[in-house]
Amino acid sequence: MKKNNSNTASTIMQIDPQEGPFQLHTLLSDLPPNLSFSACEGYENHLYLGTTKGDLLHYFEIEPNNYILISETKFSPSTDSKITKIVLLPLIERALVLNNEGQLILFLLPEFAPVPNTSPIQNVTDLTIFHYSKRSNIYRITIATKNALQLWKVSTTQGIIQSSKNLIQFKNCSHILQHEEILIMARSNNYEIINLKKLNANVLPLFHVFEPTPASPTLTPVMCSINSKEFLVCSGGNDPNDNAMALIVNHKGDISQGTIVLDKYPTEIAVQYPYILTNYDGSKVQVNKLLNINDDSNLPIQTISSSSESDLRIARLTATFHNDEIMDPKDKELIVEKLKLVPMLNKDIELTLQREKSYVEENLQQVSSLVCYGHQGIHVLFKKPIILQMHNKFNEEEISILENYLSEMEDKYRATMTKYEDIECKYLTLMELLLILLHCDTIDEIVIKKWSTKSGTTDIRILLYILNMEIYGNIWTFHGLEPLINNLKELKLIHKCNKGIPWLLKLLKKNLKSTNNDFSNISKTIDINFLQFYLKDDTLNFDINNFETENFPEIIDILKKQDDASKYSPILLQIYQRKQMFMEYMDLLKKDSKLDKLFQYIETNINQLPKDYVHGPQLFDDLALILNDKQDDTTKDQINQMFKILNSMDIDPHELISRVQDNIPVKVMIIEQLGVKDSHDKKFIIEYYLTKLEETIQQNNLWTQLNSFLNEYKQDLKYDKVNFISFINVKLQYNENFENFLIYFNHIKLIITNSIEQDNDKTFISGLFNEISKFDNNNILTFLLLPSPATTNQTILTNEQILTILLNCNDFMTIEQYLTKENLISVMKHYIQMHKKIYSISLVTNLLTRNINFLLNDSDQFLNILRELPQEYPLTNLFEILFPIVNRLDTKTQNLALQKALLKAELANTKEMINNLQIE
């Protein structure tokens, strides 16, 4: 057995610069110089190596940092094939070893010897762990062969057995990685993703491994797992020395963290968040940032190099290594000083302070499973604590850097965090929140939600402390951030709270997480501070339900010390509500004139209110009080809601009318909602509408606009134009000046219609139109309010009066409804007198054409028409009308002459017959 002392990295394994994010620590040095290593794994205190010639080496740690070689064997006595992969199955103490001839053998752990009586699996190109079942103590393994993906099971009892002959048929699948059912593979020259639980789903193609040309060499696929949700794959050009890309993709195949440009196509790649390590040709490993911590450049920040060409390899082992020896004592002291918790208020607790410091010291350790290995040995890469890489500039750019880093750690690495990393993340979280306070323009909802989201791990009282509020209990914070907290407090950041501190407190309380150890004092701090602000400003919305029950005694004590009871009436209301003290609640609302809330309360609790209140006079008194308090657009809705309340309790709502006698607008609204019950209601409401109609016309000078509409209609001399009433209705409807006019006008018209259809109360209708006539202008309103001609009451307007109105406004089509034989000529004369001859001829022509029935059988009427027609009217325009009439009259004359001759002949014959009889 060969003993190997571990120490710091050999001089031929170099890392530059030393101040970079990684430090090297040697596990093994001076490995056999005649071997070239191709695989490395670790299990507990054991290290396993595979070589390019099929050798398997097993080292054991006999004491800390001191390994010895305890075995060196061949994978197979018959072959020198390269060991390509060692996969450990630590929970069942087994390992799978693969060589480049496709042979896969099951080994025992920790001795690293083949399992007896187990045959190699042939034609394997790659393998990956699918799942471990704790219940059955079995690993499920996905194996890629030349033609298919296969599912195998590995256990301590049955060894390795195939559970699915061909999970899915795939040719040329060379590399695979797996996150549970999501598998990424390199097949032919492409990366692809497939969900093994949805085998019927399509394979999702990603990128080419390289861009092939006839002369280009074949590049080996390079990919690795970043976390449980993402993979990293490398895609190159047509030459290994061309620039390549490292792409991070999620399980849906989307690029999730951008693209990293690489100097050339790598041989290996690994990720130690937030860094990517790239191995180029085995001569150097280059470190770049996945997440830029202090700048936006993508330049290498550190390089690990080997003096041996093409020998350097990188691997992530199953084993993890802890080493605090290489950390600079000054750095360690700095980290402890920054991360230890200190009290912000009560400083006299030395024992607790020492305990907090010790806690950080105990958990401050470097942990890593990432190694570099080769001829120079096996060296662990320890990532320096991120807190040492933050420059404490406190500039605004640090916020997005911290946010991105913490988001990644919380989302994808939380399950594997060490205690130290957890402390560090809490420190960085608080630092981010403090920087947001420093640089934000206003402390708005976004800022508060940031704090609230972290309230499970970050004491939200720090924010309230900075804003100079009263604090209950003690605040413990990181010593490294204490100066920043106190500096922020000196800045008086309360001026950034544009929406006020009460708003801030309510939002904090709404989103507060109860996982903090001192939640009781945190909630009390928020509740009492809000109460104090409320006592200074009683317009704030205060809901006792938002307070923790355990804080009620403190709240009551504070309220009892107040002199002015009105300042805490809203709180008392909340308490009454909680205690279901109904009458006290309503009495206090009436006392404070909060009648809207009173109505809401009655509506909500009507079924719970005392019966003597609901069925006695007091309910109507309160409803009337509410209605008399205001008259606005919401009053009608409120009245309707009152009716629903009363009807639900089988109470007649008409009683409400008598309670609002002096409030005419409200009384009108009630009658409108209930409907007119008797003549008194009808008389009252019509008088109200007429008064408001006249008032609206006078205040808005509407007669001028109505006359303007009339003139506009009169000037349109088209015979078949729309009737005057329809024209006016359109004008009124689309003129905002008539908005109130139409409200009262339509109410009046509805009452008229109902009166005619229901009881035909002629006395009421006559009196109504008599009142309208007192402020009407040329009977226009009367005419507009008339029912249809068929039901027109002649006591309102006679047909002659209506015809006069129609002639005045030139409503030609409607005039015809009132035409008679007697007034036809007078209407025609009105048309003849039109100032434009062309229109008068057209109007007369249309009049006679459409009403020819008045002329056909009356020659005198016809002659009178002819006498009235002006001589200058061209006869051609009237020929089509006059000729049929003349022709009809001529035919009639001839018929009369013939009838006369026949009568004469008949008389002569009769006379002759009489004479003959006399002679006889």
Side-chain angles (χ1 to χ4, degrees):
M1 294 185 181
K2 184 178 179 181
K3 188 174 180 179
N4 190 301
N5 292 319
S6 300
N7 46 39
T8 57
S10 171
T11 55
I12 55 177
M13 178 74 76
Q14 297 180 346
I15 185 165
D16 183 45
Q18 291 288 335
E19 297 76 20
F22 288 98
Q23 294 173 301
L24 286 176
H25 174 70
T26 302
L27 291 177
L28 277 172
S29 60
D30 300 327
L31 291 174
N34 59 319
L35 299 179
S36 181
F37 299 96
S38 56
C40 183
E41 253 296 2
Y43 171 68
E44 295 181 345
N45 296 343
H46 303 265
L47 293 174
Y48 310 110
L49 289 164
T51 72
T52 57
K53 295 296 183 180
D55 302 289
L56 294 173
L57 283 70
H58 176 194
Y59 286 86
F60 176 68
E61 187 180 33
I62 58 173
E63 58 185 29
N65 294 320
N66 191 0
Y67 288 84
I68 61 170
L69 179 64
I70 59 174
S71 71
E72 182 177 355
T73 62
K74 279 285 189 178
F75 176 82
S76 172
S78 60
T79 180
D80 288 339
S81 296
K82 173 183 176 181
I83 304 298
T84 58
K85 199 165 194 177
I86 301 173
V87 176
L88 301 189
L89 311 176
L91 297 176
I92 62 171
E93 297 187 323
R94 295 291 185 270
L96 289 166
V97 182
L98 176 67
N99 70 4
N100 66 351
E101 289 186 355
Q103 294 178 324
L104 182 67
I105 297 180
L106 184 64
F107 278 66
L108 295 169
L109 292 181
E111 51 266 53
F112 205 51
V115 175
N117 303 317
T118 303
S119 301
I121 302 172
Q122 304 294 334
N123 300 318
V124 176
T125 58
D126 200 1
L127 72 152
T128 182
I129 296 175
F130 188 162
H131 178 69
Y132 169 72
S133 171
K134 186 176 181 180
R135 183 177 61 84
S136 58
N137 198 30
I138 291 175
Y139 276 93
R140 298 170 70 193
I141 308 296
T142 304
I143 290 178
T145 67
K146 294 180 179 179
N147 298 312
L149 290 177
Q150 299 175 349
L151 190 62
W152 291 69
K153 293 181 179 179
V154 185
S155 67
T156 55
T157 57
Q158 294 181 309
I160 182 166
I161 58 173
Q162 188 171 359
S163 59
S164 173
K165 185 174 182 181
N166 287 319
L167 188 62
I168 188 168
Q169 293 284 350
F170 274 130
K171 289 189 176 182
N172 303 320
C173 182
S174 60
H175 293 72
I176 58 174
L177 276 175
Q178 196 162 355
H179 293 159
E180 293 291 333
E181 69 273 8
I182 302 300
L183 182 137
I184 188 169
M185 58 186 166
R187 188 161 64 99
S188 297
N189 186 38
N190 299 295
Y191 294 109
E192 298 172 340
I193 282 181
I194 187 170
N195 188 328
L196 296 181
K197 287 190 176 179
K198 300 177 181 178
L199 294 179
N200 293 328
N202 293 331
V203 173
L204 184 65
L206 299 178
F207 320 100
H208 292 314
V209 177
F210 65 101
E211 301 298 331
T213 64
S216 63
T218 299
L219 299 182
T220 301
V222 175
M223 56 189 185
C224 71
S225 175
I226 292 187
N227 50 60
S228 63
K229 298 180 180 181
E230 293 172 316
F231 301 102
L232 183 145
V233 298
C234 294
S235 179
N238 52 31
D239 187 277
N241 293 316
D242 291 343
N243 284 130
M245 294 184 298
L247 304 110
I248 299 171
V249 295
N250 59 25
H251 290 174
K252 295 180 180 180
D254 300 323
I255 297 177
S256 54
Q257 293 193 43
T259 301
I260 302 165
V261 178
L262 305 176
D263 292 345
K264 57 183 180 179
Y265 195 81
T267 56
E268 290 175 316
I269 203 157
V271 172
Q272 182 72 32
Y273 193 81
Y275 305 102
I276 178 173
L277 295 90
T278 312
N279 188 0
Y280 293 114
D281 301 328
S283 59
K284 67 175 180 178
V285 173
Q286 185 172 287
V287 180
N288 292 73
K289 295 176 184 175
L290 275 177
L291 172 67
N292 295 312
I293 294 179
N294 289 309
D295 57 63
D296 296 325
S297 68
N298 196 34
L299 297 174
I301 56 174
Q302 200 170 33
T303 300
I304 303 163
S305 58
S306 169
S307 58
S308 301
E309 294 184 1
S310 305
D311 179 62
L312 184 61
R313 303 292 304 272
I314 54 177
R316 184 174 298 283
L317 309 188
T318 302
T320 56
F321 303 95
H322 304 259
N323 194 335
D324 303 328
E325 294 178 3
I326 62 173
M327 183 180 293
D328 189 317
K330 291 182 179 179
D331 287 344
K332 187 172 184 178
E333 183 180 359
L334 176 61
I335 292 172
V336 171
E337 284 300 306
K338 281 188 173 186
L339 296 184
K340 71 179 183 181
L341 293 177
V342 294
M344 298 293 296
L345 302 174
N346 181 12
K347 304 283 187 179
D348 190 20
I349 40 178
E350 186 60 37
L351 184 61
T352 306
L353 286 172
Q354 185 57 45
R355 186 171 63 246
E356 291 297 333
K357 181 178 181 181
S358 299
Y359 179 77
V360 178
E361 290 174 337
E362 290 168 5
N363 290 286
L364 178 54
Q365 56 183 350
Q366 292 181 294
V367 179
S368 179
S369 60
L370 188 65
V371 300
C372 289
Y373 66 98
H375 283 136
Q376 292 75 35
I378 302 176
H379 310 276
V380 184
L381 284 166
F382 286 103
K383 185 182 71 172
K384 289 183 179 179
I386 196 75
I387 198 168
L388 292 177
Q389 300 173 53
M390 302 299 296
H391 299 330
N392 288 343
K393 297 177 182 177
F394 298 150
N395 53 40
E396 193 169 0
E397 290 74 19
E398 298 288 313
I399 297 174
S400 60
I401 295 167
L402 287 168
E403 182 179 20
N404 291 335
Y405 176 80
L406 290 168
S407 175
E408 286 293 312
M409 293 297 290
E410 288 288 335
D411 186 33
K412 296 162 185 173
Y413 299 95
R414 165 56 65 185
T416 59
M417 275 190 195
T418 64
K419 287 184 178 180
Y420 169 75
E421 287 173 328
D422 182 62
I423 297 170
E424 190 177 62
C425 281
K426 289 177 180 177
Y427 178 95
L428 296 176
T429 297
L430 179 56
M431 182 177 177
E432 178 197 359
L433 294 173
L434 295 174
L435 291 181
I436 288 172
L437 280 183
L438 176 63
H439 294 288
C440 68
D441 294 327
T442 60
I443 301 177
D444 57 12
E445 187 171 355
I446 295 175
V447 174
I448 298 306
K449 283 188 175 180
K450 282 272 190 183
W451 277 84
S452 298
T453 301
K454 303 298 183 182
S455 61
T457 55
T458 300
D459 193 336
I460 211 163
R461 286 176 296 176
I462 294 172
L463 171 62
L464 305 180
Y465 173 82
I466 291 171
L467 296 174
N468 290 294
M469 294 189 203
E470 184 178 358
I471 304 298
Y472 285 81
N474 205 350
I475 301 174
W476 288 81
T477 191
F478 296 103
H479 187 238
L481 295 176
E482 186 181 17
L484 178 58
I485 292 171
N486 288 322
N487 287 337
L488 287 172
K489 185 177 183 181
E490 293 298 320
L491 292 176
K492 308 294 183 185
L493 296 183
I494 195 170
H495 72 276
K496 289 189 177 185
C497 300
N498 292 346
K499 293 186 178 181
I501 296 299
W503 168 85
L504 178 148
L505 292 169
K506 287 175 67 177
L507 193 59
L508 281 177
K509 185 68 178 289
K510 179 181 178 182
N511 297 286
L512 186 63
K513 298 183 183 297
S514 60
T515 54
N516 194 291
N517 291 333
D518 200 12
F519 178 76
S520 176
N521 279 320
I522 292 173
S523 68
K524 182 180 289 188
T525 298
I526 295 175
D527 285 353
I528 303 306
N529 275 283
F530 185 87
L531 178 63
Q532 296 291 1
F533 273 96
Y534 175 78
L535 295 174
K536 297 174 185 176
D537 181 5
D538 60 4
T539 62
L540 295 174
N541 183 25
F542 192 99
D543 186 354
I544 204 72
N545 294 309
N546 293 331
F547 287 74
E548 299 299 319
T549 305
E550 63 187 25
N551 295 331
F552 282 175
E554 190 80 25
I555 293 171
I556 292 170
D557 273 351
I558 294 173
L559 291 177
K560 285 181 177 179
K561 296 175 183 177
Q562 306 303 310
D563 297 328
D564 189 352
S566 64
K567 287 188 177 182
Y568 53 87
S569 289
I571 305 176
L572 288 174
L573 286 173
Q574 295 288 342
I575 295 172
Y576 291 154
Q577 175 71 7
R578 181 72 70 88
K579 293 180 175 292
Q580 294 188 337
M581 299 169 66
F582 301 111
M583 301 308 297
E584 292 81 356
Y585 189 102
M586 291 190 290
D587 288 342
L588 187 55
L589 287 176
K590 285 184 281 187
K591 179 182 177 182
D592 292 343
S593 299
K594 296 183 183 290
L595 299 182
D596 278 343
K597 288 189 176 182
L598 173 62
F599 176 66
Q600 292 172 7
Y601 190 79
I602 292 173
E603 183 180 22
T604 304
N605 299 281
I606 187 67
N607 292 312
Q608 297 172 282
L609 297 177
K611 290 184 178 180
D612 58 345
Y613 170 82
V614 174
H615 295 282
Q618 194 172 354
L619 174 59
F620 278 111
D621 290 340
D622 286 347
L623 295 179
L625 179 66
I626 293 165
L627 290 175
N628 287 326
D629 180 60
K630 67 170 185 175
Q631 299 168 25
D632 56 28
D633 294 337
T634 64
T635 305
K636 284 187 177 181
D637 293 334
Q638 197 170 61
I639 290 172
N640 188 48
Q641 291 301 110
M642 288 181 180
F643 292 164
K644 289 182 179 179
I645 293 171
L646 294 170
N647 289 330
S648 71
M649 304 304 291
D650 294 325
I651 300 172
D652 184 1
H654 284 86
E655 175 70 19
L656 198 56
I657 298 175
S658 63
R659 302 301 180 104
V660 292
Q661 287 291 351
D662 297 332
N663 193 331
I664 293 176
V666 170
K667 184 178 179 181
V668 169
M669 291 180 194
I670 295 174
I671 294 174
E672 285 176 348
Q673 298 267 14
L674 290 174
V676 175
K677 185 178 181 181
D678 51 35
S679 59
H680 295 291
D681 289 349
K682 185 190 293 187
K683 182 180 178 182
F684 166 78
I685 202 166
I686 200 66
E687 287 176 355
Y688 172 79
Y689 290 146
L690 289 174
T691 302
K692 298 301 289 186
L693 184 67
E694 182 180 9
E695 184 181 291
T696 301
I697 291 172
Q698 292 175 352
Q699 288 177 351
N700 297 284
N701 196 21
L702 297 185
W703 282 124
T704 301
Q705 294 190 58
L706 282 168
N707 288 330
S708 171
F709 299 154
L710 175 60
N711 289 332
E712 181 183 346
Y713 185 81
K714 287 176 66 174
Q715 290 172 10
D716 182 0
L717 298 177
K718 293 179 183 177
Y719 194 89
D720 58 352
K721 64 184 177 180
V722 67
N723 65 59
F724 177 64
I725 290 179
S726 298
F727 173 82
I728 286 294
N729 284 338
V730 172
K731 286 291 185 180
L732 297 181
Q733 184 177 355
Y734 292 100
N735 189 311
E736 61 182 13
N737 294 330
F738 285 86
E739 183 177 355
N740 290 330
F741 172 91
L742 282 174
I743 293 173
Y744 305 120
F745 178 87
N746 289 332
H747 277 303
I748 295 169
K749 192 161 188 175
L750 180 62
I751 291 174
I752 293 171
T753 302
N754 291 338
S755 294
I756 291 173
E757 293 178 351
Q758 295 173 6
D759 52 20
N760 197 20
D761 188 348
K762 295 181 179 180
T763 303
F764 170 77
I765 295 173
S766 177
L768 168 60
F769 277 100
N770 184 54
E771 292 297 320
I772 293 172
S773 66
K774 292 179 181 180
F775 61 91
D776 200 357
N777 187 352
N778 294 323
N779 289 327
I780 293 297
L781 283 180
T782 303
F783 178 65
L784 294 175
L785 287 167
L786 280 177
S788 62
T791 58
T792 301
N793 193 321
Q794 290 293 317
T795 61
I796 301 171
L797 286 178
T798 65
N799 284 352
E800 288 75 15
Q801 289 175 310
I802 295 174
L803 183 61
T804 300
I805 295 171
L806 294 171
L807 288 170
N808 182 51
C809 62
N810 290 337
D811 187 351
F812 306 119
M813 296 294 287
T814 310
I815 286 171
E816 292 186 2
Q817 298 177 18
Y818 297 90
L819 274 179
T820 64
K821 181 178 178 181
E822 289 74 20
N823 62 22
L824 176 64
I825 291 178
S826 63
V827 171
M828 187 184 76
K829 285 181 180 181
H830 178 78
Y831 293 169
I832 290 172
Q833 293 170 2
M834 293 291 180
H835 63 284
K836 287 189 178 182
K837 179 179 177 182
I838 185 172
Y839 287 112
S840 68
I841 293 172
S842 174
L843 295 174
V844 170
T845 301
N846 277 292
L847 175 68
L848 296 178
T849 301
R850 294 172 56 84
N851 299 280
I852 195 170
N853 57 303
F854 289 120
L855 307 177
L856 290 177
N857 298 312
D858 191 338
S859 57
D860 292 337
Q861 180 82 320
F862 177 67
L863 291 174
N864 289 333
I865 291 291
L866 290 177
R867 291 190 191 101
E868 295 298 334
L869 289 174
Q871 294 181 359
E872 62 270 20
Y873 275 24
L875 200 57
T876 53
N877 292 70
L878 300 170
F879 178 77
E880 291 184 1
I881 305 169
L882 299 178
F883 178 74
I885 300 173
V886 172
N887 185 48
R888 184 184 178 102
L889 291 174
D890 183 54
T891 302
K892 186 175 182 181
T893 302
Q894 291 178 6
N895 290 337
L896 288 173
L898 179 59
Q899 289 175 2
K900 184 178 180 182
L902 291 173
L903 286 172
K904 283 182 179 182
E906 187 176 353
L907 286 172
N909 290 334
T910 304
K911 186 176 182 181
E912 185 179 353
M913 289 174 64
I914 293 172
N915 290 333
N916 290 336
L917 290 173
Q918 290 177 349
I919 294 173
E920 293 179 358

